[in-house]
Amino acid sequence: MNKPKILISGGGTGGHIFPALAIAGEIKHRYPDADILFVGADNRMEMEKVPAAGYRIIGLPVSGFDRKNIFNNIKVVFRLFKSLSMAKNILKDFKPQIAIGVGGYASGPMLKVAQKHNIPTLIQEQNSYAGVTNKMLANNAHAICVAYDGMERFFPAEKIVLTGNPVRSSLLQCSLSKEDARAHFELNPHKRTVLIIGGSLGARTINNSISEGLELIAAEDNLQFIWQTGKFYDEECRKALEQSSAKNVKQMAFVNDMDIAYRAADLVVSRAGASSISELQLLGKPCILVPSPNVAEDHQTKNAIALVKQDAAIMVTDSQCSQQLVNTILCTVNQEQKLNSLATNISKMALDHAAERIVDKVFEIIDKNSSSK
């Protein structure tokens, strides 16, 4: 194949961006000279993360609809029409062979315009409950790559390809033992370890619950904790820790070495975003999921329930977090049989080589489209 020209659109959260970068990385692995252009939403994290990974990105002024204040949507509609116009110009200038949508605001106008101009499109749905944008694009998409069974309730069955969600390859490459991974964080190599993660920005409910439970945690001398609080909550969580008697907690705003942190952990506490769940599945990590209530259509709760039904995770709702989370952690982490059962069951749900499967489909569509011209 001559130099492939591929457009990837979407973003807004790490759950959209990391799969997009994994897909781009697999394309570059096969075709190092591939020309890949990202299209994201202005002022969202993809405008930083994508260039840092070495790719070009154009930002659209698109934003989500405000469900609380309908008058704010006047601006939203204006931004949408401006984004559609910009998307048309991007297609005219870049001339991609395919447009890939990974969800998020920007993928809507970009893929809609691509479909209107007969550019093949592939969409990737990370969640067990499909997003609005992907549902709108589905009928005219050439393929829909999903990570869960039963997605024909949202999409045309003949277009669905079960691929799994691509994850950061670095997470799967850690060669350290569990003991060495704990030592990396200056922890006791022989104590059971709980990893608490709330994403790069943090999770208020999880952080508040841990802060409130620090004295209970301090009493568990056989346990230790890695507590990633996110940048917004770093200072207040650090102060709470300093004022407590908990000496068995390693708190930090960010965990730069997530592969090592996962390796160190016997139990993980996390939000229930699709990318996080895919990582936990591939790594076979027992987990307690606290779904964020602040996401469209409550899809994190649906993601978590899909695991709970398979006895592959424990769920604590956001509203019950303050009362239940710390006690659930302390009860679960000391049950060897429960940890082993959760690890076995979540591993069974893993779909590996997702990026490769998606890129296989991308080039299959490109080849078919080229031969039909």
Side-chain angles (χ1 to χ4, degrees), residues 8-12 16-17 20 38-41 46 57 100-108 110-111:
I8 302 176
S9 184
H16 296 304
I17 297 164
F38 280 78
V39 177
E46 59 263 28
I57 186 168
I100 302 168
V102 295
Y105 303 142
S107 66
M110 194 68 249
L111 265 74

Side-chain angles (χ1 to χ4, degrees), residues 317-337:
T317 65
D318 197 79
S319 61
Q320 297 173 323
C321 195
S322 179
Q323 294 80 25
Q324 295 185 6
L325 180 59
V326 171
N327 285 329
T328 303
I329 292 170
L330 300 181
C331 177
T332 304
V333 75
N334 286 312
Q335 295 186 55
E336 185 75 27
Q337 187 173 350

Side-chain angles (χ1 to χ4, degrees), residues 135-156:
K135 285 191 284 189
M136 289 172 59
L137 296 167
N139 283 338
N140 293 316
H142 285 61
I144 304 158
C145 296
V146 302
Y148 292 88
D149 290 319
M151 297 302 285
E152 60 274 4
R153 59 200 168 119
F154 304 111
F155 304 129

